[in-house]
Amino acid sequence: LWEVDSHDPRDGELDEAAAMLREGGTVAFPTETVYGLGADARSTAAVERIFEAKGRPSDNPLIVHISDRKQLEELTLPLEGESAILADRLMDQFWPGPLTIVLPVKPGAVSPRVTAGLATVAVRMPAHPVALQLIAASGCPLAAPSANRSGRPSPTLASHVRDDLSGLIDGIVDGGAAGVGLESTVVEVDGDLVRILRPGGVTAEALREVAARVDYDAVAAPGAGIAASAAADAAPSAAGAPAVEAQAPRSPGMKYAHYAPQGLMHLVKGDADAVSAYIEAEVGAAKARGERTGVLAFAEHAARYDADCVLVVGSLAQLETAAHGLYNALREFDNRGVQRIWAETCTEQGIGHALMNRLSKAAGHAVVHV
Ligand code: TXA
Ligand code: MG
């Protein structure tokens, strides 16, 4: 475990970690979104250790992290025409930053385990001084999924990585709390169109300022997890999942259950007072059955609840705070042994879109409309 200053890692401080990566090791490191678990993307042996440590399905490809746009030439084939112009514009505007772009892979450039057999590779340049310095010092393009056990909430602190992967990886660079708190936005470029495959740190609104057209893969569209409603008495299960999931998502990771706390979770959507009243009634009934109850609330409403564990996810007035706090809160419910959880919802504008996407996945798409 190396503890470093997240804004300004000192010279040489990352050398040991970089050497480990060069030699085929696995090292977790902070990015501006969540912690990643890095390995040399060119080495199948190294990349296999990521899949093993995470318990990750092998058909789910990895994002390759770079520190310099020059590395793109080694990894990808050039796009043509309008797509090339748009991809360049996205990189100019959003790199380094929480945007992952799916590009045609140069044959043989990365291990086939990274791309899971696709003809494309997802690439991103993270906006975190520690990540950028580590990638540069290692001299490797780094394959790095989120540094959690598959299915668990992504890690936003080094302690989350330790909780999930201790003994399974070679090292952790601790650079304090990750920034955004949700993963990057994954997009593909098609002529003058940007298609969002996974909502994340760069909002659709921000992409629209650069691209003539922005649309969504079905599973990534606003409302995909929430609007497809479950009845008020529905249990969170495949039955509550929206029909759009029947179609294979273009980003393979989107088909997996994710982020789920151990307790049974429902999202509750509707007028704020009706939501509070419904949750309080449910909490009361669950307590009477002897269950340990939890509520995930926005700061503005938290005082309304009297569950065993009321966690503030962030402020409705500043949804960035909720994005930052979501995964830590989901982990905290587990730490406190909560058995039933109700969560408030918010708008799907801006970062609210990625926030509701992750929250509805965590609830297995069980949404109660009140
Ligand atoms: O913010 C992030 O993106 C974090 C940090 C560590 O960079 N990484 C991350 O990686 O979230 P991971 O592995 O948890 O999610 C990668 C997502 C998955 O949904 C995967 O299916 C998708 O990216 N992906 C990777 N390669 C792809 C490709 N060639 N085409 C489509 N989707 C791809
Ligand atoms: Mg992940």
Side-chain angles (χ1 to χ4, degrees), residues 33 56 60-61 63 65 120 122 124 145-146 183-184 198 251 253:
T33 57
R56 182 179 176 105
N60 193 2
I63 296 172
H65 295 64
T120 53
R124 116 172 169 91
S146 47
E183 301 84 345
S184 62
R198 176 180 75 176
S251 185

Side-chain angles (χ1 to χ4, degrees), residues 312-347:
V312 173
V313 62
S315 165
L316 274 175
Q318 219 193 333
L319 288 181
E320 287 73 17
T321 58
H324 183 80
L326 176 66
Y327 291 143
N328 190 55
L330 293 179
R331 283 172 178 265
E332 188 60 23
F333 284 125
D334 286 352
N335 296 341
R336 301 217 211 155
V338 173
Q339 296 161 294
R340 291 293 304 264
I341 303 161
W342 291 268
E344 296 184 339
T345 60
C346 66
T347 166

Side-chain angles (χ1 to χ4, degrees), residues 14-370:
L14 296 170
D15 285 357
E16 252 182 336
M20 232 172 224
L21 287 164
R22 245 189 331 272
E23 287 153 20
T26 49
V27 175
F29 60 94
T31 82
E32 83 282 24
T33 57
V34 299
Y35 272 72
L37 176 60
D40 183 349
R42 301 164 302 190
S43 161
T44 294
V47 170
E48 258 162 16
R49 300 195 51 216
I50 291 181
F51 280 90
E52 255 164 53
K54 282 184 61 83
R56 182 179 176 105
S58 61
D59 67 346
N60 193 2
L62 305 178
I63 296 172
V64 176
H65 295 64
I66 60 174
S67 57
D68 186 328
R69 268 168 78 170
K70 288 197 195 100
Q71 290 173 278
L72 272 181
E73 287 165 36
E74 299 155 29
L75 298 171
T76 64
L77 298 172
L79 290 169
E80 280 166 20
E82 270 191 292
S83 299
I85 295 167
L86 181 50
D88 267 348
R89 231 188 292 148
L90 291 174
M91 292 175 205
D92 289 343
Q93 180 74 20
F94 298 110
W95 280 6
L99 184 72
T100 295
I101 309 178
V102 173
L103 296 164
V105 67
K106 192 178 224 178
V110 296
S111 163
R113 302 282 275 136
V114 168
T115 53
L118 299 173
T120 53
V121 61
V123 186
R124 116 172 169 91
M125 188 190 295
H128 193 295
V130 173
L132 288 171
Q133 282 199 32
L134 183 64
I135 299 163
S138 73
C140 313
L142 291 185
S146 47
N148 51 295
R149 284 285 293 174
S150 261
R152 292 265 291 156
S154 293
T156 53
L157 291 169
S159 62
H160 297 161
V161 180
R162 213 172 27 201
D163 289 345
D164 278 17
L165 300 178
S166 187
L168 301 170
I169 62 178
D170 295 318
I172 303 175
V173 179
D174 181 353
V180 179
L182 303 177
E183 301 84 345
S184 62
T185 304
V186 178
V187 300
E188 61 185 11
V189 176
D190 185 359
D192 68 351
L193 172 77
V194 172
R195 183 175 301 118
I196 297 175
L197 308 186
R198 176 180 75 176
V202 171
T203 64
E205 290 84 347
L207 289 168
R208 273 190 203 104
E209 287 177 17
V210 174
R213 296 192 296 141
V214 175
D215 81 2
Y216 302 90
D217 192 26
V219 291
I226 290 188
S229 94
D233 58 352
S237 70
V244 289
E245 298 228 332
Q247 200 180 319
R250 297 183 63 77
S251 185
M254 294 291 281
K255 71 173 176 281
Y256 292 105
H258 239 102
Y259 322 116
Q262 276 143 32
L264 189 61
M265 179 153 86
H266 284 82
L267 309 194
V268 187
K269 201 170 154 62
D271 166 77
D273 291 333
V275 166
S276 312
Y278 174 84
I279 292 178
E280 265 304 89
E282 289 290 298
V283 164
K287 277 184 165 178
R289 293 193 299 267
E291 291 172 338
R292 202 166 162 72
T293 56
V295 174
L296 187 62
F298 288 97
E300 289 83 347
H301 306 145
R304 298 177 178 185
Y305 300 110
D306 116 82
D308 301 304
C309 175
V310 179
L311 298 181
V312 173
V313 62
S315 165
L316 274 175
Q318 219 193 333
L319 288 181
E320 287 73 17
T321 58
H324 183 80
L326 176 66
Y327 291 143
N328 190 55
L330 293 179
R331 283 172 178 265
E332 188 60 23
F333 284 125
D334 286 352
N335 296 341
R336 301 217 211 155
V338 173
Q339 296 161 294
R340 291 293 304 264
I341 303 161
W342 291 268
E344 296 184 339
T345 60
C346 66
T347 166
E348 289 183 84
Q349 303 287 305
I351 194 70
H353 177 207
L355 184 62
M356 286 302 110
N357 171 272
R358 304 306 193 273
L359 198 52
S360 64
K361 280 189 138 192
H365 301 288
V367 186
V368 180
H369 293 256
V370 294

